[in-house]
Amino acid sequence: MAEAAALTKPEAESEELTDGFNLLIDAMKLNGIETIYGVPGIPITDFGRMAQAAGLRVLSFRHEQNAGYAAAIAGFLTKKPGICLTVSAPGFLNGLTALAHATTNCFPMILVSGSSEREVVDLQQGDYEEMDQLAVAKTMCKAAYRVLHAADIGIGLARAIRAAVSGRPGGVYLDLPAKLFGQVMNAEAGKKSLVKVIDAAPAQIPDPAAVKRALDVLKGAKKPLIILGKGAAYAQADDAIKALVEKSGVPFLPMSMAKGLLPDTHPQCAGAARSTVLKDSDVVVMIGARLNWLLSHGKGRTWGDAPKKFIQIDIEPKEMDSNVEIAAPVVGDIGSCVAALLDGPNGIGGGNWTKAPSDWMGAVSAKREENVAKMAPRLMNNNNPMDYHGALGVLRTIVKERPDAILVNEGANTLDLTRGVIDIYKPRKRLDVGTWGVMGIGMGQAIAATVETGHPVLAIEGDSAFGFSGMEVETICRYNLPVCIVVFNNDGIYRGTDTNKAGTDPATTVFVKGARYDKMMEAFGGVGVNATTPDELKRAVNAAMDSGKPTLINAVIDPAAGSESGRIGNLNPQSKLKKK
Ligand code: ADP
Ligand code: TPW
Ligand code: MG
């Protein structure tokens, strides 16, 4: 039927027509899509131009992977699918890493790729950039669709949007063969074929029996703990989560991207007493966090010997019991679940609820103060060359003074130490490597963060991490974005001190000594600064944040200061054979 509509001869000369290009633009606008992140080329170059002319913001990147990471984090920040647009085969594959990353992290994103013609691809006749992209994408995302007829564009996009944001959010692939864009159909029929997605992510209300079970388990706790994950940050149920934490009197531990949901300086924050609360707690309430490797799978030494009961709030029923038994699963969207836990006289917000034992909160606070005090002098050092703590000490103050700025962070030591040292004060202000610990998210996240929110970005990047997306400094300059990049330059991966024992090639983990990343920014008209002391670093970052000019500061860090793999060196397999 769709084909018939598309191919019907115009009834009169004056018949108004539309085509695939216009229908896709109209479908996107109808569904509130405002921004597209991508790289142009056959067959989507004209689509980008036309979308821009129609008022969409179309941001061109230097590599699809970075456009993809931008789209993924746009999804996290807005609860709407971030759109990444790529060309066929190689462009598609470059975007695919980000699509898989979005799916792994539960971020809604749609990878829209042009592709070559079905009849040529299916007979493997060697088309320009030929690849069966739909088949390849399927294993990397929540859903994958292909549209063959212009009249199905509306439905195709609607399905993609709904699949991306409903239930557990994730990545969706939308395959658009070149021919589709030029297909012509009656404009009125085209308009009617568009679909506005109503209630794309419907509330999922928890079963009252599950809520009661959870309250009963929590009531019996002597040493309860709340763990907030990035799902809680995504849910944008900030006030309800704050009420739950404060009315329950339970210490909370934020996962990396949930930092700031409540300020890290909140009296109940257990961030600086992490090992204590994981070991000693007896009931753990997981809110939008998974018991994956980042939480040692909920067992082993990290969690101590004391028996524990888990309450888990998650929209994905299959997440329950994934690693350990969940005593009280609460399946639903976080906003609805937290509201249900607070509700009624017997709920946490009600008159009959008794706060968590204060001796436990007191013990956690004492541990936290002890750890904070231990770290304080290290953050004030003025060493030259700088070490991580000296550099982070000044950046920590800058973030405190600018709580609306968004912090982007990647690296190994640069990641782990920044996460530990820099307090975050507001929700969704810390973006990083996510569930995979992937290097390369930096510039894509920095760009999308400021484009989507209007807030400035401070990106703290290991020199290796930065290299994965460094060419996007041109993109940052081209769009004149308020992004300040600080490269922690320790001459390499983990440390810059490795040597090759067998030959003249440099060791595998080291880079050019004394490299000047600041010059990269200058090449495109941005501000470059070389900083060798915490004072210089502070001045340069403050100037960048005040001016909003694209800036890259090459922060020279002692090459010997870091440790192998930062805080996760234990995950490195070791050879049992004698080292040569
Ligand atoms: P972290 O890495 O911060 O621990 P994870 O990415 O492991 O967080 O976990 C996020 C969890 O949040 C996922 O299991 C996902 O299903 C869940 N989630 C995402 N959005 C929602 C929502 N709106 N309501 C309920 N659960 C959600
Ligand atoms: C896509 C492996 C983890 S951390 C890291 C690499 C290459 C770089 C660490 O060096 P950096 O930080 O950034 O200079 P620092 O402060 O410790 O010196 N490829 C991908 N993802 C990952 N995680 C890796 C490789 C890795
Ligand atoms: Mg490094």
Side-chain angles (χ1 to χ4, degrees), residues 396-413:
R396 175 184 209 250
T397 307
I398 289 171
V399 171
K400 185 176 180 184
E401 290 162 357
R402 302 170 193 271
D404 284 315
I406 297 182
L407 183 73
V408 168
N409 187 204
E410 60 178 331
N413 294 282

Side-chain angles (χ1 to χ4, degrees), residues 388 412-414 461-465 488-496 511:
Y388 289 93
N413 294 282
T414 304
E461 302 269 313
D463 52 340
S464 165
F488 275 7
N489 186 358
N490 65 344
D491 293 346
I493 299 174
Y494 314 138
R495 296 163 70 87
F511 298 146

Side-chain angles (χ1 to χ4, degrees), residues 22-149:
N22 283 290
L23 285 165
L24 184 57
I25 291 165
D26 292 346
M28 285 183 169
K29 288 177 89 169
L30 183 65
N31 284 290
I33 290 168
E34 289 164 359
T35 310
I36 298 173
Y37 302 92
V39 176
I42 296 171
I44 48 110
T45 315
D46 266 349
F47 174 75
R49 290 193 183 108
M50 291 170 73
Q52 191 172 47
L56 285 160
R57 190 146 196 219
V58 185
L59 296 168
S60 278
F61 282 65
R62 304 300 295 260
H63 190 293
E64 291 87 353
Q65 191 174 102
N66 306 319
Y69 288 140
I73 209 67
F76 169 75
L77 288 168
T78 64
K79 295 186 93 175
K80 292 197 291 192
I83 308 287
C84 176
L85 179 68
T86 75
V87 303
S88 334
F92 156 77
L93 286 172
N94 283 346
L96 200 55
T97 313
L99 186 69
H101 160 83
T103 307
T104 300
N105 284 275
C106 315
F107 300 157
M109 162 183 174
I110 304 174
L111 176 65
V112 181
S113 284
S115 59
S116 39
E117 302 317 332
R118 292 309 315 155
E119 43 277 63
V120 186
V121 173
D122 289 346
L123 275 171
Q124 298 174 34
Q125 293 173 312
D127 204 355
Y128 167 70
E129 298 192 345
E130 175 184 302
M131 172 176 268
D132 189 354
Q133 296 170 197
L134 189 74
V136 172
K138 267 185 184 156
T139 60
M140 308 281 169
C141 56
K142 252 185 101 176
Y145 305 107
R146 174 159 46 226
V147 182
L148 292 177
H149 304 296

Side-chain angles (χ1 to χ4, degrees), residues 572-579:
N572 271 317
Q574 299 283 326
S575 171
K576 299 269 185 320
L577 305 177
K578 231 184 170 179
K579 278 199 179 142

Side-chain angles (χ1 to χ4, degrees), residues 79 104-106 168-169 228-232 234-235 255-257 288-290 292 294-295 313-316 319 332-334 435:
K79 295 186 93 175
T104 300
N105 284 275
C106 315
R168 170 182 275 177
L228 300 171
K230 58 174 138 27
Y234 173 80
M255 299 300 287
S256 189
M257 281 176 60
R290 286 173 286 190
N292 56 16
L294 287 157
L295 282 168
I313 302 178
D314 205 289
I315 202 156
E316 174 58 62
E319 188 56 41
D333 73 274
I334 286 167
T435 303

Side-chain angles (χ1 to χ4, degrees), residues 235 237 240 333-340:
D333 73 274
I334 286 167
S336 301
C337 292
V338 172

